Amino acid sequence: MRIKHIFLTIAILVTFACGKNDGPLGPDEPETPTETGKPAWTTPELAFAFPETELKRYSYCPVVLQQENGDRYVFMCANPYADPSASLYNTIIDNIYMFIEHPDGTRTEAKSVLQPGEAYDNHHVCDPSVIEGEFKMDGAVYKYAMFYTTGIKEYDYCELAVAFSNDLNADKWVKYTEGPIVKKTWAGEGDLQWSGGNCWGVGQPSAISLDGKGKVLLTYSIGDLNGTRVAYRFIDMSDMSRLDMGTQRSMITNGLKQSNGSQDIASNLDFALDREHDRIIMVRDVRPFPATYPTFIPSTMEVMYLSFSGFQDNVGTWKKLAQITPELTGFPRNHNAGFVRDNFGYISDYTKPTIYFTVSKQAPDVYESENLMCCWTYDIYKTTYK
């Protein structure tokens, strides 16, 4: 959810852990919704930013749970307030924060609800994805599960973990006692090197409840010697003492195109499910990324859809609904987006999604130096496709 970026700054590698076919067109499904050349989005609005007086803070990678009363529970990656003179390593520490956005536009104060602390996540916890269900662990039954990416001080790789709560507004979530549920793809302790540095590992989860209880569709990004890709599993978390992680499968990438028309890869995705129309939608980065700093953040994101039956069978072609571009947002970089979904990961109409996303400035307004880094410009905006 999230980029959960990896970049080198002042000699420190910082990880932001930071049917059988597409089916017929639905009654409201345009064949080429973006050919008019006019974005059919509402004007993007600021959803969250830390006060300007709190220097060196960032917020990114939002996920949003819509309640029946109109409240939205927004979970995101953010760092605690630190002395601006503190070292970069002690300032960039991802927590998972949450705030409630009310229908009248007011919101509660953002609070940290999950922090680093265990051996497997002692530096970063980020990329939240939250769903409702029934999850038993250590004799207790929990109503909500939060999937997240881990980051540790000793190495650069990431893994995927989960925590639980019975209250979306909880101050603390209970981490799964056995550690990460999806581990890095290579054996042995430590990082795995490739020509560009160390492999990223596993993370950026997006989860959807399949039965309102313990069965979950879990998707996530992988970065290793076999490249960057998105995988998914159908897992059963009804009883965490008998956790069934299912079989890992690679997500189909037919239809994913770079801005130059060539085949694109998949990473850093969020998903939502429209069961009535048998459609799963995703929001993704569009490559190539700009060549100027920050080179690891896209300028454009794309919303695409596929029949859910096709997704499960790895057949069909993703189709484009719309793009989020600098021309729409007014920001040169747009990244780390999440859909507004209900507590189970569903939406009522896949052709009209609401998306919360992260913005960033680029060079020459920001630069790869401790006081001018792009992450200090990460704020969260929102827009709806009409």
Side-chain angles (χ1 to χ4, degrees):
M1 155 237 149
R2 29 191 78 146
I3 286 173
K4 295 40 109 229
H5 319 294
I6 299 177
F7 62 101
L8 191 64
T9 305
I10 316 179
I12 299 176
L13 188 67
V14 180
T15 306
F16 284 85
C18 242
K20 306 298 182 185
N21 52 43
D22 284 340
L25 296 177
D28 299 318
E29 181 175 319
E31 293 187 17
T32 50
T34 59
E35 284 188 352
T36 62
K38 295 181 179 179
W41 295 96
T42 59
T43 301
E45 302 175 65
L46 179 67
F48 182 84
F50 283 110
E52 293 183 1
T53 54
E54 297 184 8
L55 303 177
K56 293 186 178 180
R57 298 201 74 181
Y58 53 79
S59 55
Y60 74 110
C61 195
V63 295
V64 188
L65 281 69
Q66 177 82 47
Q67 306 304 299
E68 291 185 0
N69 67 357
D71 284 348
R72 292 175 177 176
Y73 285 75
V74 183
F75 294 82
M76 62 183 179
C77 299
N79 64 325
Y81 181 65
D83 184 340
S85 64
S87 70
L88 189 65
Y89 189 80
N90 291 320
T91 303
I92 298 180
I93 299 177
D94 279 5
N95 285 206
I96 293 175
Y97 275 68
M98 189 280 295
F99 65 89
I100 304 170
E101 182 183 76
H102 301 301
D104 62 4
T106 61
R107 62 172 178 80
T108 62
E109 183 177 355
K111 62 181 181 181
S112 174
V113 298
L114 195 74
Q115 306 83 30
E118 305 302 322
Y120 58 85
D121 67 3
N122 61 20
H123 198 201
H124 295 295
V125 295
C126 62
D127 306 341
S129 184
V130 180
I131 56 169
E132 183 177 333
E134 293 180 12
F135 313 101
K136 183 179 179 181
M137 184 179 71
D138 296 338
V141 177
Y142 294 96
K143 187 174 182 179
Y144 302 104
M146 177 196 293
F147 302 85
Y148 66 97
T149 303
T150 69
I152 58 177
K153 297 176 181 178
E154 296 81 3
Y155 301 111
D156 294 327
Y157 68 81
C158 302
E159 294 183 318
L160 196 161
V162 66
F164 301 98
S165 175
N166 276 312
D167 184 357
L168 284 178
N169 196 24
D171 293 331
K172 299 285 185 181
W173 288 61
V174 181
K175 296 177 183 179
Y176 175 46
T177 50
E178 299 299 317
I181 60 173
V182 184
K183 299 181 182 294
K184 58 184 175 61
T185 57
W186 58 91
E189 184 179 355
D191 290 316
L192 181 64
Q193 291 187 330
W194 67 293
S195 59
N198 291 325
C199 291
W200 185 80
V202 176
Q204 301 178 339
S206 180
I208 295 173
S209 174
L210 297 175
D211 64 353
K213 295 184 178 181
K215 293 183 179 180
V216 178
L217 167 63
L218 178 64
T219 62
Y220 49 91
S221 298
I222 301 174
D224 58 19
L225 293 180
N226 292 318
T228 300
R229 59 203 183 277
V230 166
Y232 66 96
R233 298 171 184 258
F234 295 100
I235 68 177
D236 191 340
M237 298 170 53
S238 303
D239 186 343
M240 295 300 290
S241 68
R242 295 193 293 269
L243 174 63
D244 181 357
M245 289 302 296
T247 301
Q248 179 174 289
R249 312 177 189 183
S250 294
M251 190 195 78
I252 192 169
T253 58
N254 296 343
L256 274 61
K257 299 296 182 182
Q258 298 190 32
S259 57
N260 58 16
S262 61
Q263 178 66 41
D264 208 349
I265 62 174
S267 66
N268 195 32
L269 310 180
D270 191 38
F271 294 87
L273 182 59
D274 180 342
R275 275 193 156 174
E276 180 179 351
H277 298 100
D278 183 38
R279 291 293 185 268
I280 186 169
I281 63 170
M282 69 175 174
V283 56
R284 71 179 191 94
D285 301 336
V286 177
R287 291 169 174 80
F289 296 172
T292 56
Y293 176 81
T295 58
F296 48 86
I297 300 180
S299 62
T300 298
M301 295 179 295
E302 191 165 73
V303 181
M304 308 190 77
Y305 60 90
L306 179 70
S307 69
F308 187 47
S309 50
F311 176 92
Q312 296 175 83
D313 293 335
N314 266 336
V315 298
T317 301
W318 288 98
K319 297 179 181 179
K320 180 171 68 175
L321 178 68
Q323 289 188 333
I324 295 175
T325 64
E327 290 73 24
L328 170 71
T329 68
F331 289 90
R333 303 300 173 88
N334 304 281
H335 60 105
N336 285 281
F339 291 108
V340 174
R341 319 183 310 176
D342 71 10
N343 288 355
F344 301 99
Y346 304 155
I347 57 173
S348 59
D349 187 346
Y350 75 99
T351 68
K352 300 174 183 178
T354 296
I355 294 179
Y356 285 54
F357 61 97
T358 316
V359 301
S360 172
K361 294 182 179 180
Q362 67 178 5
D365 295 322
V366 291
Y367 194 73
E368 197 167 355
S369 68
E370 184 166 350
N371 293 321
L372 294 174
M373 288 168 52
C374 62
C375 60
W376 310 141
T377 68
Y378 289 1
D379 295 323
I380 296 173
Y381 279 70
K382 59 183 177 180
T383 182
T384 299
Y385 191 69
K386 297 184 292 186

